């Protein structure tokens, strides 16, 4: 040990070292294993050369190294390849001495606590520079990275400081690993409060969950990159970067992840397009070149030999395999039966059993069939009958008739011999119900109306027409008493009524479609009334009146195209638009339009700007189209083939349907041309309605038939339904999206149907009868006169000749 401790360093000897012998190498290797010193580390330590020191310094350094080695051997060799300093050794010795003094004061025995050099210290690899100089270590690097304490058994315990995971790596994009449990499923830690360990061996606690975390997340805005997922390795929220987000968006949009990638590279011609002419022929080889296989010949001969020897037998059915017992002999003693005298040794052949009671000409009453059994026996086929006869009672044997099927059986026998059928033809037992199409269960097609929920009473006489408002809140009705009444739909309470006439019945009431205005139209005789009921809110009432009053200004500015306000019209004017009387105006009637004949049908366009009226007795003016905003009436047809019955606008196209007694014509209003003529096959068409999709048509007739037309399929009806015993007065589709339609008949009933229409042209419509609603009384051969569906719900209202209306839900 030199006197100068501050400049104390290890230096390597530069003179030549003789090669060690094999024995020395073995001893040195064993010593290295025992002391935890690697020979390579000694060589690296000894290779540090300081060229600035002279020969004497080298000698002194070698002496000091020998002395330090001797001192280390007195205690124990180092277990680390790090170069310790004397300050480290002194620090370790002081800690061990303090432990010994503490144990002596506590009265504990000495467990052989030795110097610190028994355990390794942290190794700091000192590499010489290009000149061979060994750099000096700083105070932080020279300070030991452990602390000597005492464990529970009194032995020294070394507590090391935390490892700094920072290292130099070329992989700068690698994420920092926080959980070091390796490839172990996190389900192993479900019963523990932690989910793994970090690089220092400390537990990683499970992230907080529950109400506290939810409250915290609610109070904080969603951070950037939040996904709502959880990282399985750490249990924390998984966040994605902007680059990963862009990559996910490209994947969703089916775009390329990398710029410059060509998904359609140029085709590389691996094969030429030239056809090579080969010298070989493509013809099949001739049979003379066939060489039989010797192996197959051996297998065939083996099978032939087994068949000859009886080891392979042909297949026999189980009945043929049953062999009789050769010891048991059977004799047919009646093979040649002849009449013999009675003798005890003679056994006659058994006789045929005598006929039973049911075969007697006078059987007991319990053997005689009743009416149902006789009917079932007669309706059954010959092959299905359990017996070929039916028991019959006769008073005497002479009253028994001859065999009634004698001639028929002889004829069939001769016919069989003539046709010579040598096979027995089995009859197909086909159930007639199996030939019918399978319909779904009505309970699976709910909702549809089944019961009467509300009754509306107040009209005196027949209720000819009714309609539900577009909002589904009110019900308007008109009848033979000349009044129009508005009811509250759910409660049946009357809200408002007006008397339009005493002599004329109200034939039609219809609401204008749309929610921007509330206008009710009604017809009585030759007059058409446009009403704004005073039961609505003031804003809606003012907008409705403004819509009706707009036509007066147009009529004033264009007197040649419409009627004037004082009623002076042209000679050939189809209609007269006037203001109503003060009494009607106070009741809510705003516009009065008069046509040439009695109006029986009124229908609105889907936009609410136009409405059409049908007067069957009007001849050339039978059908009129009215413009609401202009107070203008047009007659689109100068001459019609047949007596018009009803008309309807297409729900989405500029097409107008007109139904006469036996045909239905569709016209294109934009081109003013005839499109198609439908022939339902009915004798007298009564009503018409169009499906909301516009491709199907429903027709009712006075000859008790309901016809479904598919406009894309044919001009003939797709289905003809006959479920009523009297005339059908009205038909209606549900306009709110439910696959329902109904019809009303004079037999006092409503028939509810399920009619599903799909967009696939290869699949036909599904029509299923659901329910028959009965409740109206038949008055003077008239039953239900009109019906209407709720705009959203599966509810239907009906108007009857008994003077009341009913709501079915």
């Amino acid at each position: 040990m030199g006197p100068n401790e501050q400049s104390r360093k290890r230096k390597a000897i530069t003179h030549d070292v003789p090669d060690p012998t094999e024995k020395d190498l073995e001893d040195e290797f064993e010593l290295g294993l025992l002391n935890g010193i690697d020979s390579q580390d000694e060589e690296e330590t000894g290779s540090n050369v300081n060229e600035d020191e002279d020969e004497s310094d080298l000698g002194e350094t070698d002496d000091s190294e020998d002395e330090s080695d001797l001192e280390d051997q007195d205690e124990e060799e180092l277990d680390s390849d790090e170069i310790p300093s004397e300050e480290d050794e002194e620090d370790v010795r002081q800690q061990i001495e303090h432990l010994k003094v503490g144990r002596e004061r506590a009265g504990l025995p000495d467990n052989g606590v030795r110097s610190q050099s028994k355990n390794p210290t942290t190794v700091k690899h000192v590499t010489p520079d290009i000149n061979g100089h060994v750099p000096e270590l700083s105070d932080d690097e020279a300070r030991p990275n452990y602390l000597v304490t005492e464990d529970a058994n009194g032995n020294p315990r070394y507590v090391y400081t935390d490892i700094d995971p920072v290292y130099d790596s070329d992989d700068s994009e690698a994420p920092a690993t926080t959980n070091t449990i390796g490839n172990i499923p996190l389900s192993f830690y479900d019963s523990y409060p932690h989910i793994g360990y970090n690089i220092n061996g400390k537990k990683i606690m499970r992230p907080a969950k529950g109400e506290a975390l939810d409250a915290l997340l609610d109070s904080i805005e969603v951070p950037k990159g939040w996904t709502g997922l959880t990282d399985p390795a750490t249990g924390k929220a998984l966040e994605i970067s902007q680059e990963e987000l862009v990559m996910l968006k490209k994947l969703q949009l089916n775009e390329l992840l990398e710029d410059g990638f060509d998904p359609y590279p140029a085709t590389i011609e691996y094969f030429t397009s030239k056809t090579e002419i080969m010298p070989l022929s493509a013809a099949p080889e001739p049979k003379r070149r066939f060489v039989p296989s010797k192996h197959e010949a051996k297998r065939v001969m083996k099978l032939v030999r087994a068949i000859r020897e009886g080891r392979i037998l042909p297949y026999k059915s189980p009945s043929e395999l049953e062999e009789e017992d050769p010891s048991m002999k059977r004799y047919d003693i009646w093979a040649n039966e002849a009449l013999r005298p009675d003798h005890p040794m003679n056994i006659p052949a058994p006789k045929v059993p005598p006929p039973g009671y049911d075969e007697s000409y006078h059987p007991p009453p319990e053997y005689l069939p009743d009416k149902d059994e006789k009917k079932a026996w007669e309706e059954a086929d010959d092959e299905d009958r359990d017996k070929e006869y039916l028991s019959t009672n006769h008073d005497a044997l002479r009253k028994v008739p001859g065999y009634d099927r004698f001639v028929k059986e002889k004829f069939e026998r001769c016919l069989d011999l003539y046709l010579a059928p040598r096979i027995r033809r089995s009859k197909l037992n086909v159930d007639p119900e199996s030939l019918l199409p399978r319909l779904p269960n009505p309970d699976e097609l709910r909702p549809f109306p089944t019961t009467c929920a509300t009754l509306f009473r107040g009209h005196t006489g027949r209720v000819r027409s009714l309609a539900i408002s577009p909002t589904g809140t009110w019900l308007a009705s008109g009848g033979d008493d000349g009044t129009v009444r508005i009811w509250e739909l759910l409660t049946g309470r009357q809200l408002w009524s007006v008397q339009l006439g005493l002599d004329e019945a109200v034939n039609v009431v219809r609401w204008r479609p749309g929610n921007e205005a509330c206008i009710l139209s009604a017809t009585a005789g030759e007059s058409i009334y446009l009403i704004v009921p005073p039961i609505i809110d003031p804003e809606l009432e003012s907008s409705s009146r403004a819509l009706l009053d707009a036509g007066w200004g147009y009529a004033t500015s264009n007197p040649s195209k419409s009627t004037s306000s004082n009623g002076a019209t042209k000679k050939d004017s189809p209609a007269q638009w006037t203001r109503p009387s003060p009494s009607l105006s106070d009741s809510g009637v705003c516009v009065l339009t008069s046509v040439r004949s009695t109006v029986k049908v009124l229908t609105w366009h889907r936009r609410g700007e136009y409405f059409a009226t049908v007067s069957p007795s009007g001849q050339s003016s039978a059908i009129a189209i009215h413009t609401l905003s202009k107070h203008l009436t047009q007659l689109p047809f100068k001459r019609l083939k047949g007596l018009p019955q009803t008309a309807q606008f297409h729900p989405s196209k500029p097409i107008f349907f007109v139904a006469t007694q036996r045909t239905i014509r569709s016209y294109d209003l934009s081109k003013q041309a005839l499109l198609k003529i439908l022939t339902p096959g009915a004798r007298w068409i009564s009503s018409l309605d169009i499906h909301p999709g516009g491709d199907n048509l429903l027709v009712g007739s006075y000859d008790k038939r309901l016809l479904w037309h598919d406009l894309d399929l044919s001009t003939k009806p797709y289905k003809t339904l006959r479920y009523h015993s009297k005339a059908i007065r009205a038909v209606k589709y549900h306009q709110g999206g439910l696959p329902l339609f109904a019809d009303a008949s004079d037999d006092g009933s409503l028939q509810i149907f399920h009619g599903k229409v799909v967009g696939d042209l290869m699949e036909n419509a599904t029509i299923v009868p659901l329910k028959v609603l009965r409740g109206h009384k038949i008055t003077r051969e008239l039953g239900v006169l009109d019906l209407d569906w709720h705009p959203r719900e599966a509810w239907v209202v009906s108007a009857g000749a008994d003077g009341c209306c009913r709501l079915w839900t």
Side-chain angles (χ1 to χ4, degrees):
M1 304 292 289
N4 189 4
E5 297 178 357
Q6 295 180 357
S7 61
R8 184 184 182 87
K9 300 177 182 178
R10 287 195 178 188
K11 297 179 182 179
I13 302 172
T14 58
H15 57 81
D16 295 337
V17 181
D19 295 336
T21 61
E22 184 177 355
K23 184 177 181 181
D24 295 338
L25 290 174
E26 292 179 358
D27 297 340
E28 206 171 11
F29 183 72
E30 292 176 0
L31 184 59
L33 290 178
L34 292 173
N35 299 331
I37 301 173
D38 196 357
S39 61
Q40 184 178 358
D41 298 332
E42 291 180 355
E43 293 175 2
E44 293 177 358
T45 307
S47 63
N48 298 328
V49 180
N50 190 352
E51 296 180 357
D52 296 337
E53 298 293 338
D54 54 359
E55 295 293 337
S56 60
D57 293 335
L58 290 174
E60 292 176 3
T61 304
D62 296 335
D63 296 339
S64 62
E65 287 180 356
D66 296 337
E67 291 174 5
S68 62
D69 293 336
L70 291 174
E71 290 174 1
D72 293 340
Q73 290 177 3
D74 293 339
E75 296 177 300
E76 191 173 64
E77 295 293 332
L78 292 172
D79 293 338
S80 174
D81 56 355
E82 184 186 12
I83 303 173
S85 63
E86 189 163 339
E87 293 179 359
D88 298 341
E89 297 176 0
E90 292 297 333
D91 190 9
V92 173
R93 290 191 184 95
Q94 289 178 7
Q95 293 184 17
I96 294 176
E97 288 177 1
H98 287 314
L99 284 176
K100 289 181 180 180
V101 172
R103 294 179 62 84
E104 290 176 358
R105 291 179 180 177
L108 298 174
D110 188 5
N111 292 334
V113 178
R114 303 183 69 182
S115 64
Q116 166 62 15
S117 61
K118 183 179 181 179
N119 290 289
T121 60
T122 303
V123 178
K124 300 294 181 180
H125 294 279
V126 181
T127 305
D129 55 7
I130 57 177
N131 297 325
H133 295 284
V134 179
E136 294 185 3
L137 299 176
S138 62
D139 295 340
D140 295 338
E141 293 177 349
R143 187 178 302 167
N145 64 337
Y146 56 84
L147 179 64
V148 180
T149 59
E150 186 179 353
D151 59 3
N153 298 326
N155 298 325
R157 179 171 175 265
Y158 300 91
V159 180
Y160 292 88
T161 58
D162 294 342
I163 301 172
D164 187 8
V166 178
Y167 62 93
D168 295 335
S169 173
D170 295 337
D171 190 5
S172 60
E173 297 181 357
T177 304
T178 57
N179 199 348
T180 59
I181 60 173
N183 191 15
I184 296 177
L186 288 177
S187 59
F188 290 3
Y189 291 91
D190 290 344
S191 59
Y192 297 97
H194 60 280
I195 60 174
Y197 302 89
N198 59 10
I199 195 171
N200 296 320
K202 294 183 179 181
K203 297 179 180 178
I204 299 176
M205 303 308 294
R206 194 181 302 277
K209 294 182 179 179
E211 298 179 356
L213 184 58
D214 294 340
L216 180 61
L217 292 177
D218 294 339
S219 62
I220 301 175
E221 296 182 355
V222 177
K224 187 176 181 180
W226 182 80
T227 60
L229 305 177
T230 305
D231 189 359
T234 61
K236 298 181 181 179
L238 179 62
E239 297 182 359
I240 60 176
S241 62
Q242 184 66 23
E243 292 78 8
E244 294 173 344
L245 183 60
V246 172
M247 186 181 298
L248 290 176
K249 288 183 178 179
K250 288 184 178 181
L251 287 175
Q252 290 179 350
L253 297 176
N254 198 13
E255 295 180 356
L256 300 178
L257 299 182
E258 298 180 0
D259 296 336
F261 177 76
D262 187 10
Y264 306 105
T267 305
I268 300 175
E269 297 291 343
Y270 293 100
F271 304 97
T272 62
S273 59
K274 297 180 180 179
T275 303
E276 298 291 344
I277 301 176
M278 306 302 294
L280 300 180
S281 175
E285 294 188 1
K287 293 184 179 180
R288 63 177 179 271
R289 296 184 184 177
F290 173 73
V291 178
S293 173
K294 294 183 178 181
H295 175 68
E296 293 181 356
K298 289 182 180 180
R299 293 185 60 185
V300 171
M301 291 305 300
K302 187 177 181 180
L303 294 175
V304 171
R305 192 179 303 108
I307 293 174
R308 290 175 179 176
E309 294 177 358
R311 289 183 283 109
I312 297 179
L313 300 176
Y315 172 77
K316 291 185 178 181
S317 61
S319 59
E320 297 177 359
L321 293 177
E322 295 179 0
E323 297 181 357
E324 298 181 356
D325 188 3
S327 61
M328 182 180 295
K329 295 183 179 181
R330 292 182 176 86
Y331 301 95
D332 187 3
I333 59 176
W334 299 294
N336 299 318
E337 181 68 18
L339 294 177
R340 297 182 182 179
D342 295 337
H343 192 272
M345 299 301 294
N346 180 29
I347 302 176
K351 298 180 180 180
V352 179
Y357 290 104
D358 57 343
E359 298 181 14
S360 174
Y361 70 94
H362 186 61
E366 59 269 16
Y367 289 93
L368 296 175
D370 53 8
K371 294 181 180 180
D372 295 338
E373 293 177 353
K374 186 176 181 180
K375 182 178 180 182
W377 186 85
E378 291 176 351
E379 292 179 354
D381 297 332
D382 296 341
E383 297 178 355
D384 298 337
R385 294 173 179 173
D386 53 352
K387 52 185 180 180
E388 299 179 356
Y389 58 91
L390 196 64
S391 300
T392 309
N393 186 19
H394 301 282
D395 297 339
L397 186 59
R398 65 178 180 273
K399 295 182 180 181
V400 177
Y403 185 44
D404 54 347
R405 300 187 59 187
F406 176 78
V407 178
K408 185 176 181 180
E409 287 185 356
K410 293 299 181 182
F411 172 75
E412 290 179 353
R413 177 58 181 165
C414 295
L415 190 62
D416 293 343
L417 294 175
Y418 168 72
L419 299 177
R422 292 294 180 257
I423 59 175
R424 178 181 177 86
R425 298 184 180 276
S426 58
K427 182 182 178 182
L428 296 177
N429 294 325
V430 179
D431 187 8
E433 296 182 357
S434 63
L435 301 177
L436 299 176
R438 291 187 175 273
L439 299 178
N441 189 5
D443 294 336
E444 300 176 357
L445 303 177
R446 292 183 181 273
F448 57 85
T450 56
T451 57
C452 180
T454 310
L455 192 63
F456 306 89
R457 295 182 183 274
H459 284 280
T460 57
R462 293 189 290 263
V463 181
R464 292 182 175 268
S465 179
L466 52 75
I468 300 178
S469 64
T471 60
T473 308
W474 304 307
L475 172 67
S477 62
D480 287 350
D481 55 359
T483 61
V484 175
R485 303 173 187 265
I486 296 180
W487 316 78
E488 192 173 2
L489 184 63
L490 296 178
T491 61
R493 182 170 59 94
Q494 180 177 328
L495 301 177
W496 175 84
S497 65
V498 61
Q499 183 75 34
L500 298 182
L502 298 175
D503 300 333
E504 299 289 344
V506 178
N507 295 319
V508 185
V509 290
R510 291 290 182 266
W511 292 91
R512 176 188 178 274
N515 297 326
E516 68 276 3
C518 183
I519 299 174
L520 177 64
S521 59
T523 63
E526 299 177 356
S527 302
I528 304 171
Y529 300 89
L530 299 180
I531 308 168
V532 178
I535 59 175
I536 59 178
D537 57 278
E539 295 181 359
L540 187 60
E541 183 178 359
S542 61
S543 62
S544 303
R545 289 183 178 273
L547 181 62
L548 293 177
D549 293 341
W552 301 120
Y554 183 85
T556 304
S557 60
N558 297 275
S560 60
K561 295 183 180 180
S562 60
T563 60
S564 61
S565 59
N566 57 5
T569 61
K570 288 187 175 183
K571 185 177 181 181
D572 56 348
S573 178
Q576 180 182 358
W577 295 73
T578 59
R579 296 183 183 272
S581 62
S583 59
L584 292 177
S585 180
D586 295 339
S587 301
V589 180
C590 297
V591 179
L592 174 61
T593 305
S594 299
V595 294
R596 299 176 182 178
S597 56
T598 303
V599 178
K600 293 293 184 180
V601 177
L602 187 147
T603 177
W604 282 88
H605 190 263
R606 66 182 184 279
R607 296 180 181 177
E609 176 65 17
Y610 308 97
F611 64 92
T613 56
V614 179
S615 304
S617 60
Q619 297 180 358
S620 62
S621 62
I623 297 178
I625 297 179
H626 310 269
T627 305
L628 186 63
S629 61
K630 299 180 181 180
H631 290 185
L632 181 64
T633 302
Q634 299 176 353
L635 301 178
F637 307 104
K638 294 183 179 180
R639 184 179 180 183
L640 282 174
K641 294 182 179 181
L643 188 65
Q645 298 296 315
T646 182
Q648 193 81 17
F649 287 99
H650 194 277
S652 58
K653 298 179 182 179
I655 299 176
F656 190 62
F657 292 88
V658 178
T660 59
Q661 286 186 352
R662 297 194 177 186
T663 59
I664 300 174
R665 289 177 169 83
S666 60
Y667 298 90
D668 191 340
L669 297 178
S670 60
K671 298 179 181 180
Q672 299 181 1
L674 177 65
L675 294 179
K676 190 181 294 186
I677 300 177
L678 305 178
T679 55
R683 295 180 181 178
W684 197 305
I685 296 175
S686 62
S687 55
L688 168 71
D689 195 26
I690 304 173
H691 192 270
D695 295 333
N696 295 273
L697 200 69
L698 196 62
V699 180
S701 64
Y702 289 114
D703 53 353
K704 303 175 286 186
R705 284 189 288 183
L706 179 66
L707 305 115
W708 179 294
H709 273 273
D710 191 340
L711 300 181
D712 296 334
L713 187 63
S714 173
T715 58
K716 303 293 183 181
Y718 164 65
K719 288 287 185 181
T720 301
L721 307 176
R722 295 180 178 89
Y723 290 104
H724 291 285
S725 59
K726 291 187 177 182
I728 295 177
R729 291 284 177 176
V731 293
K732 197 75 174 178
Y733 279 110
H734 193 285
Q735 303 294 329
L738 297 177
L740 297 173
F741 66 93
D743 61 354
S745 175
D746 282 340
D747 57 4
S749 65
L750 286 85
Q751 185 80 38
I752 309 298
F753 296 88
H754 172 86
K756 182 180 179 182
V757 179
V758 296
D760 188 5
L761 297 178
M762 301 301 294
E763 184 176 353
N764 295 327
T766 303
I767 302 174
V768 181
L770 297 177
K771 186 71 175 178
V772 178
L773 304 178
R774 302 181 186 274
H776 289 280
K777 296 180 180 179
I778 300 175
T779 304
R780 296 180 181 179
E781 301 297 329
L782 296 176
V784 185
L785 302 180
D786 197 9
L787 61 89
D788 194 12
W789 286 97
H790 191 276
R792 295 179 302 276
E793 304 293 338
W795 301 345
V796 65
V797 290
S798 58
D802 53 357
C804 66
C805 304
R806 293 176 180 267
L807 171 63
W808 306 87
T809 59

